[in-house]
Amino acid sequence: MTKTNSTIFHFVIIFMFILEIKIQLSEESEFLVDRSKGGLTHVPKDLPLKTTILDLSQNDISELQASDILLLSKLRVLRISHNRIQYLDMSVFKFNQELEYLDLSHNELEKISCHSTVNLKHLDLSFNAFDALPICKEFGNMSQLEFLGLSATQLQKSSVLPIAHLHINKVLLVLGDLYGEKEDPESLQDLNTESLHVVFPAGKESHFALDVSVSTAVSLELSNIKCVLGDNGYSYFLSVLSKLQNNSRISNLTLNNIETTWHSFITMFQLVWHTSIEYFSISNVKLQGRLQVRDFNYADTSLKALSIHQVVSDMFSLPQSYIYKIFSNMNIQNFTVSATHMVHMVCPSQMSPFLHLDFSNNLLTDMVFNNCGTLARLETLSLQMNQLKKLTNIVHMTKEMKSLQQLDISQNSLSYDENEEYCSWTISLLSLNLSSNILTDSVFRCLPPRLRVLDLHSNRITSIPENVIRLEALQELNVASNSLAHLPGCDSFSSLSVLIIDYNSISNPSAHFFQSCQKIRSINAGNNPFQCTCELREFIRSIGQVSSEVVEGWPDSYKCDYPESYKGTLLKDFHVSPLSCNTALLIVTIGVTGLVLAVAVTVLCVYFDLPWYLRMVCQWTQTRHRARNTPLHKLQRTLQFHAFISYSEHDSAWVKNELLPNLEKEDIWICLHERNFVPGKSIVENIINCIEKSYKSIFVLSPNFVQSEWCHYELYFAHHNLFHEGSNNLILILLESIPMYSIPGSYHKLKTLMAQRTYLEWPKEKSKHGLFWANLRASIRIKLMYQAKEVDHTYI
C-alpha cells in the first residue's frame, strides 16, 4: 500500500512539473507585433517569422495577399480591422494552420472567397459592405467557432443554413443602411447561438418585422432603435418585443441607442415585465413627447434586475411623481438609474423587495428617501455623484433601512459638523464609502460602530483624533489623498488588516506602527513626502522585517522628498550611519577620539622630546628678532667679544671640550677669565670689564655654579648691566638640573632669573647637540669692530 501511494505521489509531481513547463513555454511563445495606427497601405514584409499576434488595425491597407502572411506559420491572432479591404480570398490563410482569431471588421468588404479554416474560434466580418450574409458552406466546418461577426443589407433564411448545426456562443449581426427593402422576418430562426446582438441601421425608423427571438438565444442585445412616428413606428417595435413573450429561454435583454417617446418608453417596460427576461438593461435613451398617466401592471414578472443608464428628455414639464412612483414600486431586487438627471425618488408605497439600488450620477439631494420604512430589506445603496450636502441627513435617511450593509455616497459635497448631536446610524451597516467629499477630522466621531470597510480617500482629513468611536470590527480603511501627517495607530481599530494611506503628508512615519497593528496584512503608504533623516531609519528597518507582500508598492512608490540631496532616492537605498543618528554615542565617540588623540600626541611629544625642540626654535627666533631691532652701530661701538663665559671650575672640562670648540670654530670670540682677565687688576674689575666688552654673558648653570662665590658676583654684575644698558644680554645654559631648594637664599637673583627667564638646557642626546649649538651661535652672533687679539696685545 505504501509503495502504491509513493508511486502515485511521484506521478503527480511529474505531471505538475510537465504542466508548469508547458504553461511557461506557452507564455514565452507569445510574440506580439503591433503595427496599428501606422498609416500602412500594405502588409509589411519585415514581419518576424515567430510572430503569433499581429495587429494591423487602423491603417489604409486595401488588400491582403497570401504572400503577406505565408511565412507566419505560428500566427494565432490577426487584427486587421478599420482598413480599406474590399475583397478577401480566405485561401490566403491556408498556410496559417494555427490561426484562431481573425478580425476584419470595419473594412469595405463586399465579397469573400471561402476556404476551409477549421481552427478559427473568432471571426469578425461585421461593419462591412456585404449585401447578403457572408456565410458560405466552408463555414460549416468551423466546429470550434465561438464568435461570429456578420453584416448584410438583406437577410434570407437560407443564408444561415450552412452554420445552423454549429453552436456559436455569440453572433454579432450589423444590418446595413438599406436593410428593410427585402426582409425575411424568419431569417434568423435557424441561428444556433446563446447570445445575439443585432445592430439596426442608425437613424432609421424601426419599422422592421425581424423576429429576433432566436430559439436558442439566452442573451439578446438590440442597438439603434428609433420609434417616434406615432402608432406605426410604435407598433413595429412592439411586435418585436411581444414575440419575446413566446421565447422562454431569453433571460437577458439589452437595448442601446434608443430614440423614442415617453409613452413608448414606459410601454417597453410593461412588455418586458411579462416575459421570461430576468435582466433588462437600457442605455443611451433620448425621449420626447408627453407622458400619459396610466396604471402599471407589476404582476407575473420574472425580472430580477433593471438598469437604466444615460437618459435625456426634451420635455421639462412632466408628471415626475408618476415616473418616480412607477420606479419605486417595481417588485424587483436590483434597480439602477444612473446619468439621468433624476432629482428625486419617492419611497415605495409598500414593503419593497429591493435589495440593491444604484442611483449614481444624478441630481438627488439630502431629501431623497426621507423616512423610508418600506426599504427595510435593502442591502446595498449607491448615491455617488449626486448633490448630497449634510452627513447627518444621510444618517437620518438610512436609519430605517434595517438590512443596509453597503452604502456608497462618494463624490458628493458632504460635510459633518461635530456640534450636531444626531449621529445614529443603522446598526447593520458594514461598508461605507465617503470618498471624494469635503469631510474633515470630525467625521471619525460619526461613523457606524460595526463597520468593516471604510473609504475616506480624497477628503480634507489632517489627523485621526484619539477620542474617536472605537471601530473594533473595521478591517479595511482607505484614507488616501488627504493631509494626514502620521500613520494611525490601531488602538481604535483593533481588527484593521488593510490600510491605504498613500498620497498624504506623512514625512516621518512611526516605526511602532507594525507593533501597534499586529493584524495588518496590507498597507499602502507610498507617494508621501518622506524626510530621509535618522527618524525614518527605524521605519525602513521595520518594513524589512515584514513580508514584501504586506507593503503595497514597495519599493518604487516610497521615495525621499527631503533633504534635497536625497530627493527621489528609494527608501530601500537610503542609508545613514548609526553614529550620526545617536547623539549620546556621537558625543562619547568624539570625546574618546579626542582623548586618545591627546594621549597619542603627548606620548609622541615625550618620546621625540618635541617641547625641547620647540623651546629651542622659539629662543632662536626671539634672539634673531631682537638682533634686527637693535641698531648695529650701537652694538658694535664698545664690543670686543661675542660672549663672556661664567662657569664653575668643576664644569671647566665641558666648557673647554664642548662649548669653546663649537663656538670658536665659527669665528666667535669668547672671553674667559683665565685667558682674558688683565693681570694687576682686581677680579671684580676684570669681571665688570669683560661683561661690558661682551655682546652677551653666558652662564653655565649647575649645582657647582651655585656653590661658587665668584660665579655669584659675575651673575650679579651681568644682571646689573642688563638693567643699566636696557638690553637682554644674559644667556643661561642649564648644564645639570638645579633643584630650587638647593639654591642658597643669597642667590635670590638666580632664583628670579630662572623663574622669569628662558634658559637653554644642555641635551643629553647627542642627536640634539647640533640644534643646541646652532641656537646658541645665533643668539650671540654679531659683527665686531675690533679684533680680540689686538685687544690682548694692548693689555700685554
Side-chain angles (χ1 to χ4, degrees):
M1 185 68 179
T2 305
K3 184 176 181 180
T4 303
N5 292 338
S6 178
T7 304
I8 295 174
F9 175 77
H10 284 93
F11 174 77
V12 171
I13 294 297
I14 294 173
F15 175 77
M16 293 177 65
F17 180 72
I18 294 174
L19 181 62
E20 184 178 357
I21 291 177
K22 286 185 176 180
I23 293 174
Q24 291 179 353
L25 290 176
S26 176
E27 293 176 351
E28 293 175 357
S29 63
E30 298 292 352
F31 191 84
L32 170 65
V33 177
D34 187 356
R35 298 290 181 88
S36 61
K37 302 178 183 179
L40 302 174
T41 57
H42 60 275
V43 178
K45 303 297 183 182
D46 59 344
L47 297 174
L49 300 181
K50 59 181 179 179
T51 301
T52 58
I53 302 176
L54 177 58
D55 191 349
L56 298 172
S57 59
Q58 302 186 58
N59 283 291
D60 292 318
I61 300 173
S62 57
E63 62 177 348
L64 185 63
Q65 300 178 353
S67 59
D68 294 332
I69 56 174
L70 175 65
L71 300 178
L72 304 181
S73 59
K74 297 181 180 181
L75 188 64
R76 292 195 310 103
V77 177
L78 176 59
R79 297 187 181 96
I80 196 168
S81 60
H82 294 86
N83 278 279
R84 299 170 54 196
I85 301 175
Q86 299 179 351
Y87 172 76
L88 176 66
D89 186 351
M90 296 291 288
S91 64
V92 300
F93 304 112
K94 63 182 178 180
F95 296 107
N96 308 104
Q97 295 299 313
E98 297 186 18
L99 187 64
E100 298 177 350
Y101 188 105
L102 179 59
D103 185 357
L104 285 158
S105 62
H106 296 275
N107 275 279
E108 301 173 4
L109 286 170
E110 297 178 355
K111 184 179 179 181
I112 63 172
S113 177
C114 291
H115 183 273
S116 180
T117 50
V118 296
N119 293 325
L120 277 179
K121 296 180 180 179
H122 183 106
L123 176 60
D124 195 351
L125 300 171
S126 61
F127 295 98
N128 277 285
F130 295 110
D131 186 22
L133 286 175
I135 300 176
C136 44
K137 62 180 182 178
E138 286 81 4
F139 281 21
N141 298 325
M142 300 180 186
S143 58
Q144 302 183 46
L145 195 63
E146 298 175 356
F147 175 89
L148 178 60
L150 302 169
S151 55
T153 56
Q154 297 182 24
L155 296 180
Q156 294 181 354
K157 190 173 183 179
S158 59
S159 301
V160 182
L161 292 178
I163 59 171
H165 64 285
L166 298 178
H167 183 70
I168 307 173
N169 290 343
K170 182 172 183 178
V171 173
L172 169 62
L173 175 59
V174 180
L175 301 177
D177 292 339
L178 299 179
Y179 175 76
E181 296 179 359
K182 297 179 181 180
E183 184 179 22
D184 182 359
E186 305 295 326
S187 57
L188 301 179
Q189 291 305 299
D190 292 329
L191 198 61
N192 185 4
T193 181
E194 291 186 3
S195 177
L196 175 62
H197 183 187
V198 180
V199 181
F200 292 100
K204 293 188 65 174
E205 189 69 24
S206 299
H207 57 267
F208 315 119
L210 180 65
D211 186 358
V212 294
S213 59
V214 179
S215 59
T216 60
V218 176
S219 177
L220 176 63
E221 184 174 354
L222 304 176
S223 299
N224 298 337
I225 300 167
K226 184 177 182 180
C227 50
V228 295
L229 296 180
D231 293 338
N232 289 333
Y234 162 73
S235 61
Y236 275 106
F237 193 67
L238 173 63
S239 175
V240 172
L241 292 181
S242 62
K243 291 179 182 180
L244 298 180
Q245 297 177 344
N246 301 323
N247 189 337
S248 60
R249 286 183 57 86
I250 295 182
S251 60
N252 293 275
L253 175 62
T254 302
L255 305 180
N256 295 319
N257 302 327
I258 304 172
E259 186 177 354
T260 187
T261 62
W262 270 103
H263 182 74
S264 299
F265 185 61
I266 299 299
T267 304
M268 290 180 194
F269 292 117
Q270 188 67 84
L271 289 172
V272 171
W273 215 260
H274 303 295
T275 64
S276 61
I277 295 172
E278 298 180 355
Y279 303 95
F280 181 28
S281 176
I282 184 168
S283 61
N284 298 320
V285 182
K286 183 178 181 181
L287 298 174
Q288 55 183 283
R290 296 182 177 275
L291 176 61
Q292 298 178 357
V293 178
R294 59 176 179 170
D295 293 335
F296 193 93
N297 184 4
Y298 298 103
D300 301 326
T301 184
S302 300
L303 199 64
K304 296 180 180 179
L306 171 62
S307 176
I308 304 172
H309 177 69
Q310 200 164 345
V311 178
V312 295
S313 174
D314 60 359
M315 292 296 295
F316 297 99
S317 58
L318 290 170
Q320 295 186 16
S321 59
Y322 168 69
I323 300 172
Y324 299 150
K325 183 179 179 181
I326 290 178
F327 288 157
S328 65
N329 289 320
M330 287 183 171
N331 53 337
I332 57 178
Q333 295 180 348
N334 305 293
F335 185 35
T336 298
V337 180
S338 62
T340 63
H341 297 93
M342 182 171 63
V343 297
H344 192 58
M345 177 58 66
V346 298
C347 297
S349 58
Q350 57 186 357
M351 189 60 66
S352 174
F354 284 143
L355 297 179
H356 308 283
L357 290 180
D358 184 355
F359 294 152
S360 58
N361 195 13
N362 285 291
L363 301 174
L364 298 174
T365 65
D366 298 357
M367 303 308 296
V368 66
F369 292 141
N370 191 19
N371 293 321
C372 268
T374 54
L375 291 173
R377 298 178 184 175
L378 189 64
E379 296 178 358
T380 303
L381 175 61
S382 177
L383 296 174
Q384 66 169 318
M385 296 181 67
N386 278 280
Q387 302 294 321
L388 308 181
K389 302 293 184 182
K390 287 191 174 183
L391 185 61
T392 51
N393 291 340
I394 307 303
V395 174
H396 185 77
M397 176 188 71
T398 58
K399 70 175 182 177
E400 299 297 332
M401 301 177 183
K402 304 299 183 182
S403 301
L404 187 64
Q405 297 181 10
Q406 298 182 33
L407 176 61
D408 186 351
I409 45 179
S410 60
Q411 301 184 65
N412 282 280
S413 300
L414 286 169
S415 62
Y416 174 69
D417 185 357
E418 57 184 334
N419 295 322
E420 299 183 40
E421 297 182 358
Y422 185 81
C423 186
S424 180
W425 291 87
T426 176
I427 198 171
S428 60
L429 197 57
L430 302 178
S431 177
L432 179 59
N433 190 342
L434 292 167
S435 62
S436 300
N437 282 286
I438 54 175
L439 296 166
T440 60
D441 306 356
S442 60
V443 70
F444 285 96
R445 297 187 174 90
C446 184
L447 293 173
R450 297 176 57 189
L451 271 183
R452 295 180 183 175
V453 179
L454 175 60
D455 191 344
L456 283 166
H457 81 267
S458 301
N459 276 281
R460 299 178 182 178
I461 301 171
T462 58
S463 65
I464 299 178
E466 294 182 0
N467 56 338
V468 298
I469 298 175
R470 294 184 66 87
L471 302 176
E472 296 182 354
L474 187 66
Q475 298 176 1
E476 298 184 20
L477 175 61
N478 187 346
V479 285
S481 301
N482 280 282
S483 300
L484 290 166
H486 304 284
L487 289 177
C490 290
D491 295 337
S492 300
F493 317 120
S494 57
S495 300
L496 190 65
S497 60
V498 177
L499 175 63
I500 304 174
I501 196 169
D502 55 333
Y503 293 102
N504 273 275
S505 301
I506 300 174
S507 57
N508 292 305
S510 173
H512 302 292
F513 171 78
F514 292 101
Q515 297 177 2
S516 171
C517 303
Q518 296 287 337
K519 296 183 179 179
I520 281 289
R521 56 180 175 83
S522 176
I523 177 175
N524 186 348
N527 300 294
N528 275 288
F530 295 109
Q531 290 189 10
C532 289
T533 57
C534 294
E535 290 76 10
L536 194 66
R537 201 166 49 106
E538 294 299 325
F539 176 73
I540 299 173
R541 185 182 293 113
S542 64
I543 290 180
Q545 295 173 354
V546 299
S547 172
S548 59
E549 297 177 356
V550 173
V551 185
E552 300 289 339
W554 179 267
D556 296 336
S557 300
Y558 296 76
K559 299 179 180 180
C560 298
D561 186 70
Y562 177 86
E564 195 67 26
S565 57
Y566 283 105
K567 191 168 186 176
T569 303
L570 296 178
L571 295 196
K572 74 177 185 67
D573 297 329
F574 170 68
H575 302 288
V576 61
S577 65
L579 180 62
S580 61
C581 293
N582 191 325
T583 306
L585 181 60
L586 182 61
I587 294 174
V588 170
T589 302
I590 294 175
V592 171
T593 303
L595 181 60
V596 171
L597 185 60
V599 171
V601 171
T602 302
V603 171
L604 290 174
C605 288
V606 171
Y607 182 79
F608 293 105
D609 209 355
L610 185 60
W612 185 88
Y613 282 103
L614 292 176
R615 288 199 307 271
M616 296 296 290
V617 171
C618 182
Q619 291 173 6
W620 180 84
T621 304
Q622 292 175 354
T623 302
R624 300 295 296 176
H625 177 71
R626 287 193 297 268
R628 292 193 193 97
N629 294 333
T630 303
L632 184 61
H633 65 88
K634 185 177 180 180
L635 290 174
Q636 295 176 335
R637 188 168 53 201
T638 60
L639 297 181
Q640 297 178 7
F641 303 99
H642 288 93
F644 165 67
I645 308 298
S646 174
Y647 60 93
S648 170
E649 285 298 328
H650 298 285
D651 299 325
S652 61
W654 180 82
V655 173
K656 295 176 181 179
N657 297 330
E658 294 287 347
L659 181 61
L660 293 178
N662 282 284
L663 294 181
E664 291 182 339
K665 71 178 182 179
E666 296 292 336
D667 200 22
I668 293 176
W669 299 345
I670 301 299
C671 179
L672 294 177
H673 67 275
E674 68 264 30
R675 189 172 65 184
N676 298 104
F677 275 17
V678 179
K681 289 187 178 183
S682 66
I683 295 177
V684 174
E685 187 177 359
N686 273 310
I687 291 174
I688 295 173
N689 186 47
C690 281
I691 289 175
E692 289 181 347
K693 293 182 178 181
S694 298
Y695 174 51
K696 297 285 184 179
S697 295
I698 299 176
F699 292 87
V700 180
L701 304 180
S702 68
N704 300 317
F705 181 89
V706 298
Q707 301 299 325
S708 172
E709 188 69 24
W710 289 114
C711 288
H712 185 207
Y713 285 127
E714 291 172 352
L715 180 60
Y716 174 82
F717 291 125
H719 187 255
H720 181 272
N721 189 60
L722 167 67
F723 290 100
H724 179 73
E725 296 292 337
S727 61
N728 191 5
N729 65 341
L730 287 183
I731 297 177
L732 305 180
I733 296 178
L734 187 62
L735 183 62
E736 297 179 19
S737 61
I738 306 174
M740 295 298 291
Y741 66 84
S742 66
I743 301 177
S746 59
Y747 280 55
H748 60 274
K749 288 184 172 35
L750 178 60
K751 288 184 178 181
T752 303
L753 288 172
M754 293 188 68
Q756 295 179 352
R757 301 181 62 80
T758 303
Y759 51 83
L760 296 177
E761 185 177 357
W762 170 248
K764 302 302 181 182
E765 297 87 346
K766 194 172 183 179
S767 60
K768 299 178 182 178
H769 290 179
L771 183 58
F772 175 85
W773 297 124
N775 195 10
L776 182 57
R777 285 193 293 266
S779 63
I780 63 178
R781 184 179 296 279
I782 190 173
K783 187 175 182 181
L784 303 178
M785 298 182 67
Y786 304 100
Q787 298 294 326
K789 290 183 179 180
E790 293 176 358
V791 173
D792 290 342
H793 288 305
T794 302
Y795 287 146
I796 294 173

